[in-house]
Amino acid sequence: MASSCKLGRWRNVTAWPRMSSTFWAVVLLTSLLIIYCGQLAAGTCEIVTLDRDSSQPRRTIARQTARCACKKGQIAGTTRASPACVDARIVRSRQWCDMMPCLEDEGCDLLVNQSGWTCTQPGGRVKTTTAL
C-alpha cells in the first residue's frame, strides 16, 4: 500500500511541471494578444464613445471621443467626417477646413470665431461642428 502512495505522488510531481509550462504559455500568449490588440497602428484613429441627443426637435447633438495614434507633427482631427490624424499646423491655426472635415459633396465654412466649421449639404442641410 505504501508503494502505491509513492507512485501516486510521483505522477503528480511529473505532471506539475507540464501543467505549469502550459499555464505560463497561455499567460504569455494572452498578454501578447492584449498588448497587440490594445495598440493602434501609427497614423490611425478609432471611435471610443459616441453619444447622440435628439431631445430637441429638428436638431441632433452628437458627441464622440476618438483615440488616435498620430505620427510626429500630426494631431487628432477629422477628415471626411471621420476621426483622423491631421497636420498639427491646421489645428494650431484653426483653419479647420484645411483638414477636409466634410463629405465629398458638402461645402465647408469656418465659424465666425473659428471655434469650428459647418458642412453644408447640397439640399441645404447644415451640420455644425465645434472643437473643444
Side-chain angles (χ1 to χ4, degrees):
M1 197 153 215
S3 63
S4 66
C5 270
K6 287 181 183 178
L7 184 60
R9 267 192 255 156
W10 182 251
R11 276 192 212 140
N12 289 341
V13 169
T14 58
W16 175 248
R18 272 188 265 139
M19 186 175 77
S20 179
S21 62
T22 303
F23 171 76
W24 287 113
V26 169
V27 168
L28 177 66
L29 289 174
T30 303
S31 61
L32 288 173
L33 185 63
I34 290 169
I35 290 169
Y36 178 75
C37 292
Q39 299 287 331
L40 290 175
T44 62
C45 296
E46 69 178 357
I47 296 175
V48 178
T49 61
L50 178 62
D51 300 314
R52 292 186 185 272
D53 178 9
S54 300
S55 60
Q56 299 176 11
R58 295 175 43 108
R59 185 175 179 183
T60 299
I61 299 171
R63 291 178 188 88
Q64 77 178 21
T65 304
R67 183 173 76 125
C68 297
C70 298
K71 297 176 183 174
K72 188 174 182 176
Q74 293 183 325
I75 195 165
T78 304
T79 300
R80 299 282 179 233
S82 296
C85 292
V86 298
D87 187 359
R89 176 196 55 79
I90 293 170
V91 177
R92 279 195 302 270
S93 65
R94 303 177 75 83
Q95 296 300 310
W96 307 111
C97 291
D98 288 352
M99 64 183 175
M100 296 184 281
C102 303
L103 297 174
E104 232 173 270
D105 63 337
E106 298 175 335
C108 181
D109 293 305
L110 286 175
L111 295 178
V112 176
N113 61 1
Q114 292 186 327
S115 64
W117 64 91
T118 60
C119 296
T120 308
Q121 295 177 342
R125 183 174 174 208
V126 177
K127 295 184 289 183
T128 303
T129 304
T130 53
L132 297 177

